[in-house]
Amino acid sequence: MEAHTSITPNQNTSKRPLVLASIMLAMFLAAIEATIVSTAMPSIVAALGGFSLYSWVFSAYLLTNASTVLIFGKLSDLFGRKPIFLIGISLFLTGSLLCGFATSMTTLILFRFLQGVGAGALMPIASTIVGDLYTKEERAQIQGYLSSVWGISAVTGPALGGFFVDYLNWRYVFWMNLPLGLLAIIGVVWFFHENVEKKRHSIDFAGSAILMVGISSLMVLLVEGGIGIPWQSPLAVVLLVIFGTCLIGFYIQEKRALDPMMPFSIWEYRSITIANVTSLITGMILIGVSSYLPAFVQGVMGMSATVAGFTLTTMSIGWPVSSMIAGRLLLKIGFRATSLIGGVALVVGGIFFFFLSPDKGPVWAALGSFFIGIGMGMSTTSFIVSIQSTVDWKTRGIATASNMFMRSIGSAIGAAILGGVLNSVIQNTIQEKQLDESVTIDTVNQLLDSEGKASLSTRTQVALEEALTLGLHQVYLGLLVLAVVSLILILFLPKGEKT
């Protein structure tokens, strides 16, 4: 079987500005998804119940995203960017439609799995199409434009999320994706053209299946560990063994596969290895901020969903602004120096969150969020442009996907670990305070809803607010440690543009 297909973007027939506009619109979906859902989560939990499943709404999406991003990236190298991109958008929109009709936390999580599959194709292929259509010098600026879309859409996202929650219904946070996605599909179908030479291929579905089973086992253990699954129980050991076995199996499978989903040759470049490992860490930071900041602002500070949205909006402002600046800095001071600026900003943001307390107010939270956004914008733009400049067309799809895969895995693991830490602290505090047996982790739902909060006794309300505050403080301590680790990793980037 042939390992590669001859596919090239037809720059003569592809209308680059219109293709770019369609790609930016598709990226808009991901940005809206990230910020609106985070802002609306307290209200979704209040409506559907199941606070103990809070982190699974994020983890389910991230799990299938992480498990499919590599294979979609590889398929785009084999069959072309366009068909795989269109399949991804279609799956994402189907998931979005169904999420809006969810009647329980369980069904919402199920539909989020489907959404995540679509996102696995959407994000890396959008960036790869840009890498195909533009030169290295143009790419730095265009990647900045792509990041700016995250900001433009995410600035409106939290505000719209707060508006829907406060005045309409949380279901609209998912249905908003539909008209935008249809426009992106029309643009890509009409304006993006590829020359595809069809050949037979060997597709590594086994590698993807092994990886998904392994990551699923790890996430179940991390989310439920110490809560639903005692750490020293046989089930915990079984899940850990499954994860370890799958990790080894994945390595063996990729070594022997005719056309591996993850060709380990790309990891021979030091710039790609450091960028990918750092992206794993920054993915954990990103999910920690976006998932739990609204819970702190609403549940601990007692602010509205709109105010919670504002604290996330500042991250969405810092990200695109720094990405645009990074696009210019890359050509002047190089990938490493630009990434270092981002690493320092992440640490500053981590310090803000470490000292976050109820009396600091939402402005303090917003400042921390802003610096995290600056750090993410500087580092991610540097990493993507560096990776796409290091490899050729035949591996650009999988190389770009590998970086997004690592960030997705980081976010999945981060959501699981941080969710597990939060649940453990809340449960321990409830036991220490010797509250009524009817008070559980799920009672925290009522802190996120004004009517539910009023129904709690003063003693229970104070105890739960203290539990949530303590739990989130542990989460933010973790964010600071992760930010420092990411900065240290960036220091190991090669000083030249290439390895």
Side-chain angles (χ1 to χ4, degrees):
M1 291 187 177
E2 292 286 343
H4 299 291
T5 297
S6 175
I7 312 170
T8 54
N10 193 325
Q11 296 190 18
N12 294 324
T13 57
S14 291
K15 298 181 180 179
R16 293 202 307 176
L18 294 174
V19 174
L20 178 61
S22 301
I23 293 302
M24 290 171 76
L25 193 56
M27 300 287 271
F28 190 87
L29 296 177
I32 284 288
E33 173 67 20
T35 54
I36 285 191
V37 173
S38 296
T39 308
M41 268 311 295
S43 298
I44 293 174
V45 170
L48 301 181
F51 184 84
S52 59
L53 296 174
Y54 190 109
S55 64
W56 271 107
V57 175
F58 300 96
S59 297
Y61 174 84
L62 294 165
L63 170 60
T64 48
N65 186 342
S67 301
T68 57
V69 67
L70 286 177
I71 198 160
F72 280 130
K74 188 64 180 179
L75 289 174
S76 77
D77 283 340
L78 297 175
F79 299 105
R81 321 300 189 204
K82 185 174 180 176
I84 307 304
F85 185 75
L86 293 176
I87 288 171
I89 292 185
S90 300
L91 290 172
F92 182 87
L93 295 182
T94 302
S96 297
L97 177 66
L98 293 173
C99 281
F101 287 112
T103 55
S104 68
M105 192 66 90
T106 304
T107 55
L108 177 62
I109 291 169
L110 181 65
F111 298 143
R112 290 279 285 173
F113 273 111
L114 180 59
Q115 242 189 341
V117 173
L122 187 64
M123 294 301 299
I125 300 176
S127 291
T128 306
I129 289 174
V130 167
D132 292 344
L133 290 176
Y134 294 90
T135 65
K136 175 187 170 183
E137 289 72 26
E138 293 173 319
R139 226 176 273 150
Q141 187 175 15
I142 297 300
Q143 289 292 349
Y145 289 158
L146 291 186
S147 293
S148 74
V149 174
W150 278 78
I152 294 169
S153 58
V155 163
T156 57
L160 285 171
F163 174 79
F164 288 146
V165 167
D166 291 339
Y167 300 104
L168 294 173
N169 192 291
W170 61 265
R171 300 180 190 277
Y172 286 91
V173 305
F174 297 107
W175 292 337
M176 261 197 64
N177 292 328
L178 301 176
L180 303 174
L182 290 174
L183 284 175
I185 288 174
I186 292 169
V188 171
V189 169
W190 283 2
F191 303 121
F192 181 55
H193 305 287
E194 290 179 309
N195 299 320
V196 181
E197 181 185 343
K198 294 183 179 179
K199 295 183 180 180
R200 291 182 303 162
H201 306 286
S202 171
I203 302 172
D204 184 25
F205 288 112
S208 182
I210 292 170
L211 185 68
M212 187 168 183
V213 172
I215 296 299
S216 299
S217 301
L218 178 65
M219 284 177 48
V220 170
L221 177 61
L222 291 174
V223 171
E224 295 296 326
I227 306 296
I229 303 174
W231 287 113
Q232 298 179 339
S233 67
L235 180 55
V237 174
V238 168
L239 289 171
L240 193 59
V241 169
I242 291 174
F243 170 68
T245 303
C246 287
L247 205 59
I248 296 169
F250 180 70
Y251 178 80
I252 295 171
Q253 169 64 21
E254 297 310 282
K255 281 291 187 181
R256 72 179 186 180
L258 293 174
D259 210 355
M261 182 177 67
M262 170 65 85
F264 291 115
S265 59
I266 64 174
W267 292 80
E268 294 172 3
Y269 297 98
R270 184 151 63 109
S271 58
I272 292 181
T273 300
I274 297 297
N276 285 353
V277 175
T278 307
S279 293
L280 178 84
I281 303 297
T282 56
M284 297 174 73
I285 295 172
L286 182 62
I287 200 68
V289 175
S290 60
S291 299
Y292 297 110
L293 187 55
F296 192 94
V297 175
Q298 289 181 252
V300 178
M301 293 183 177
M303 301 291 179
S304 68
T306 304
V307 173
F310 158 73
T311 62
L312 278 183
T313 299
T314 55
M315 179 170 67
S316 306
I317 294 173
W319 190 319
V321 169
S322 62
S323 293
M324 296 292 286
I325 296 171
R328 298 177 183 276
L329 286 178
L330 285 173
L331 301 176
K332 294 181 179 179
I333 63 176
F335 300 123
R336 184 175 182 272
T338 306
S339 300
L340 277 173
I341 295 172
V344 170
L346 287 173
V347 172
V348 173
I351 292 171
F352 267 92
F353 282 116
F354 178 72
F355 288 107
L356 181 64
S357 61
D359 59 312
K360 285 286 197 299
V363 173
W364 182 275
L367 280 171
S369 186
F370 179 70
F371 278 104
I372 294 293
I374 290 176
M376 293 299 298
M378 285 283 179
S379 60
T380 54
T381 302
S382 301
F383 294 159
I384 290 295
V385 176
S386 173
I387 289 168
Q388 292 185 344
S389 300
T390 302
V391 298
D392 60 11
W393 190 94
K394 289 182 179 179
T395 51
R396 187 174 294 144
I398 187 62
T400 302
S402 72
N403 184 257
M404 301 206 173
F405 165 76
M406 293 299 283
R407 197 197 310 169
S408 296
I409 284 291
S411 292
I413 294 174
I417 291 176
L418 298 174
V421 167
L422 180 60
N423 284 349
S424 293
V425 173
I426 291 174
Q427 179 163 294
N428 289 338
T429 305
I430 288 173
Q431 292 174 347
E432 288 172 6
K433 297 291 183 182
Q434 297 181 334
L435 297 177
D436 195 322
E437 289 183 3
S438 62
V439 178
T440 65
I441 292 176
D442 285 333
T443 311
V444 176
N445 297 342
Q446 295 172 248
L447 286 182
L448 309 177
D449 177 68
S450 55
E451 292 182 7
K453 191 173 183 178
S455 68
L456 296 172
S457 68
T458 303
R459 178 171 177 266
T460 301
Q461 183 178 319
V462 170
L464 288 179
E465 285 180 352
E466 181 183 333
L468 188 58
T469 303
L470 287 172
L472 289 172
H473 182 71
Q474 292 300 312
V475 167
Y476 295 140
L477 171 61
L479 292 186
L480 177 57
V481 171
L482 291 170
V484 172
V485 171
S486 67
L487 177 59
I488 293 171
L489 286 169
I490 290 171
L491 289 170
F492 287 94
L493 280 171
K495 293 185 179 179
E497 291 191 350
K498 291 261 185 115
T499 51

